[in-house]
Amino acid sequence: MLAESLALSAVLFTIGVVGVLTRRNAIILFMCVELMLNAVNLSFVALSKLYGATGQVFVIFVMTVAAAEAAVGLAIIIAIFRHRQTVHLDDINLLKG
Amino acid sequence: MDNTFHPLFYGFHFYLFGLIAIASAILFVTRKSPVAAALWLINVMFCLAVLYVMLDAQFIGAIQVLVYAGAIMVVFLFVVMLLNLGQPDDLADIRGTGPRLAAGAVGLAILAEVMVLARSRIQGEYAPAAAVELLVPAADAVGGVIAPVAGPLFREHLLAFELTSILLLAAIVGAVVIGKKQGPADAR
């Protein structure tokens, strides 16, 4: 099932990239990044059957970093929304508020 | 039923949950409402948890459900609802009879499958003849599925583990500071 897992991982990663490139809602963009991280986790787990449990250890690290990233990113989105009343990325085009 | 490995059964479910994951991911990137998108993404994560379990990574499957589908997506949904981004007309729809029947059928099918698997597992491993020796395998299985992950995590990767905890602390503090409403004292 290694080949199928890697193919599924690639498909999910591609769908995540398509989402990042096409969507304009900042929160959905973040969710697409989470989907890409999940796809990478799947290939880590699939390859850990061949190369030992280190891949699963790495998945735990990826999940922790994803949690930290989601917390900080969503806090930034809340701050932007409080400032501009929108999370639409086309409306957020100034570095200086 | 014996407790041996069934390649056809395994392969069928691997492809089934893989296809559900792809379909849910496509629905996720095409939904307009952030709430619907988040729920489809949770579906993808549950399918991936199933695949992790099938790939002999049961602990990763459990924390996938607990941490990703449970905690991280709840934070996303919380922010979506805090910012009031979901369209009420999308949220208020109550599905008709067809989807309800389909959902019931899927639930019954999965329940039947779980019961068949549980019965075969009980009769194969813990048949009455083997029930006396049940304590010995249970004692042997103290490490279980977590030991292969915990060993490298707390030996070779201990420094990375500690650094990750510092990263989490910094992220918590940063999120609180960024998300805090600015009071009249420091409003600029």
Side-chain angles (χ1 to χ4, degrees):
Chain A
M1 286 295 149
L2 178 62
E4 288 89 342
S5 302
L6 292 181
L8 177 62
S9 166
V11 169
L12 289 179
F13 192 89
T14 313
I15 293 174
V17 171
V18 168
V20 168
L21 293 178
T22 55
R23 302 304 297 264
R24 281 292 166 266
N25 186 323
I27 294 178
I28 290 186
L29 227 68
F30 260 94
M31 287 195 238
C32 290
V33 174
E34 299 291 332
L35 180 64
M36 287 154 73
L37 289 171
N38 266 288
V40 174
N41 283 353
L42 178 62
S43 54
F44 270 126
V45 170
L47 288 170
S48 80
K49 276 192 93 167
L50 271 186
Y51 297 106
T54 311
Q56 299 184 27
V57 174
F58 214 91
V59 169
I60 294 177
F61 286 134
V62 170
M63 281 183 183
T64 319
V65 173
E69 171 242 332
V72 175
L74 289 171
I76 292 174
I77 289 176
I78 289 178
I80 291 174
F81 184 82
R82 197 173 284 143
H83 199 65
R84 308 286 301 258
Q85 302 301 315
T86 181
V87 290
H88 204 259
L89 285 184
D90 287 343
D91 299 336
I92 305 166
N93 48 13
L94 285 179
L95 194 59
K96 175 172 177 286
Chain B
M1 275 180 75
D2 58 339
N3 197 25
T4 50
F5 180 70
H6 300 287
L8 185 66
F9 189 78
Y10 184 89
F12 171 73
H13 285 91
F14 200 92
Y15 281 106
L16 175 68
F17 283 102
L19 289 176
I20 293 175
I22 293 175
S24 304
I26 291 173
L27 284 168
F28 154 63
V29 291
T30 51
R31 289 308 96 179
K32 265 190 130 91
S33 157
V35 178
L39 291 177
W40 281 116
L41 183 58
I42 291 174
N43 208 20
V44 177
M45 286 167 177
F46 271 109
C47 289
L48 285 178
V50 171
L51 296 182
Y52 292 163
V53 172
M54 294 182 83
L55 289 168
D56 289 333
Q58 289 89 350
F59 179 63
I60 302 293
I63 64 170
Q64 167 88 1
V65 171
L66 289 177
V67 175
Y68 251 125
I72 296 182
M73 291 315 293
V74 165
V75 174
F76 272 99
L77 278 175
F78 189 77
V79 171
V80 168
M81 293 175 182
L82 186 70
L83 302 186
N84 203 11
L85 295 175
Q87 293 112 349
D89 46 333
D90 275 358
L91 297 178
D93 72 321
I94 296 171
R95 293 176 195 273
T97 317
R100 281 190 198 174
L101 286 178
V106 171
L108 279 179
I110 294 177
L111 181 65
E113 200 168 89
V114 168
M115 292 181 91
V116 166
L117 281 178
R119 279 180 66 84
S120 71
R121 174 64 63 89
I122 287 168
Q123 287 171 358
E125 262 182 35
Y126 306 129
V132 186
E133 304 169 52
L134 190 63
L135 280 177
V136 181
D140 278 343
V142 158
V145 294
I146 303 179
V149 183
L153 180 61
F154 291 115
R155 286 197 205 104
E156 290 100 76
H157 306 286
L158 184 60
L159 179 65
F161 180 79
E162 299 290 347
L163 287 176
T164 313
S165 61
I166 295 174
L167 172 76
L168 267 184
L169 179 66
I172 293 168
V173 174
V176 170
V177 169
I178 295 171
K180 194 175 63 175
K181 189 168 267 180
Q182 289 184 345
D186 52 357
R188 277 152 295 183

